[in-house]
Amino acid sequence: MTEPGADAVHPPAPADHTDAVSAPPTEAESVDDYYARIAAAAGEDGRLPVAVEEMPGWDIYPYELEGLRLKPVRPPADEEPPRRGEQAADCHCAQGFDDADERVVWTNARWRLTLSRDTGLPVMLMLMPVEHHDLPSLPGDLAAEMGQLVVAISDAVEHVPSVGRVQLAKYGDGGAHLHLFFMGRPARMLQFRGSPLVDWEENLPRVPFEVLQANARVVAERMVVHVGGRAGALGRND
């Protein structure tokens, strides 16, 4: 296969007609009204009851219920706090990327896939564009390519022998540069299924970096075969 975007022609993004939508933002609920509903459901100490019929009642929930309680819900802040790299000049991407970094799993001209070296999972990766973009402002051609890469990376992670399933996550509350997480859920570890995987991951013993690199080589080689690009060093000397 050729690299996504190498010779593909993507249609232009549709024009923005938000000024003509039938449900303008002024008619949507405010965050203050949203919070008022939460406050009304909380007790005198500001705590919501644990919804034991939801996630805490699942057999994969990682915590025992005895003594479990939620923190008091705080009211909304005056404004959203700034994130790291809100402006392109202040983002880490402005310094460029070191392809010799042993955390680099795979790259092409537009994207890089890196390995987390501090994880209890068999592999945890992060995909980000080379240029400074966030998800809501991602250009159409990169968005199309990102969809192809999500499929390819997911397939590659699930070929790591110790991985049963791949989970995807996008947060973006700390950094303004788009970054997608790919987490390899350990095979046959059924307690780790679903959204509690993140809670388990933070408490699992750290996997040695050389083991993570060896696992990530499986991902790198499958990416090169299926979407082109280049594999990272991943500890190899050749």
Side-chain angles (χ1 to χ4, degrees), residues 51-204:
V52 294
E53 70 280 4
E54 300 295 341
M55 186 191 298
W58 299 353
D59 62 343
I60 56 176
Y61 189 63
Y63 306 106
E64 294 181 350
L65 295 182
E66 184 177 355
L68 180 69
R69 63 177 184 171
L70 296 171
K71 290 182 177 180
V73 181
R74 299 174 180 172
D78 292 336
E79 59 184 6
E80 288 281 334
R83 300 172 296 174
R84 296 186 302 275
E86 290 285 6
Q87 304 300 320
D90 301 324
C91 180
H92 62 84
C93 67
Q95 309 302 318
F97 296 105
D98 180 9
D99 287 341
D101 189 331
E102 290 188 336
R103 295 171 299 174
V104 175
V105 177
W106 172 91
T107 61
N108 70 8
R110 298 161 299 281
W111 297 90
R112 60 190 275 110
L113 183 68
T114 58
L115 173 66
S116 172
R117 65 182 306 150
D118 180 21
T119 181
L121 301 178
V123 64
M124 184 161 69
L125 309 173
M126 189 162 58
L127 176 69
M128 64 180 69
V130 171
E131 295 182 352
H132 185 66
H133 299 290
D134 200 358
L135 186 59
S137 57
L138 192 66
D141 58 339
L142 288 181
E145 186 177 20
M146 182 179 69
Q148 295 176 311
L149 293 178
V150 166
V151 172
I153 296 167
S154 299
D155 166 77
V157 171
E158 292 196 355
H159 276 82
V160 175
S162 54
V163 170
R165 294 283 183 271
V166 64
Q167 291 190 11
L168 276 66
K170 189 273 180 188
Y171 302 108
D173 281 323
H177 192 106
L178 170 62
H179 50 291
L180 303 180
F181 292 95
F182 295 78
M183 295 172 282
R185 193 263 292 163
R188 305 199 310 276
M189 301 290 290
L190 301 187
Q191 278 183 293
F192 296 174
R193 292 174 297 168
S195 52
L197 178 65
V198 174
D199 296 272
W200 282 108
E201 188 280 326
E202 293 180 349
N203 293 282
L204 293 170

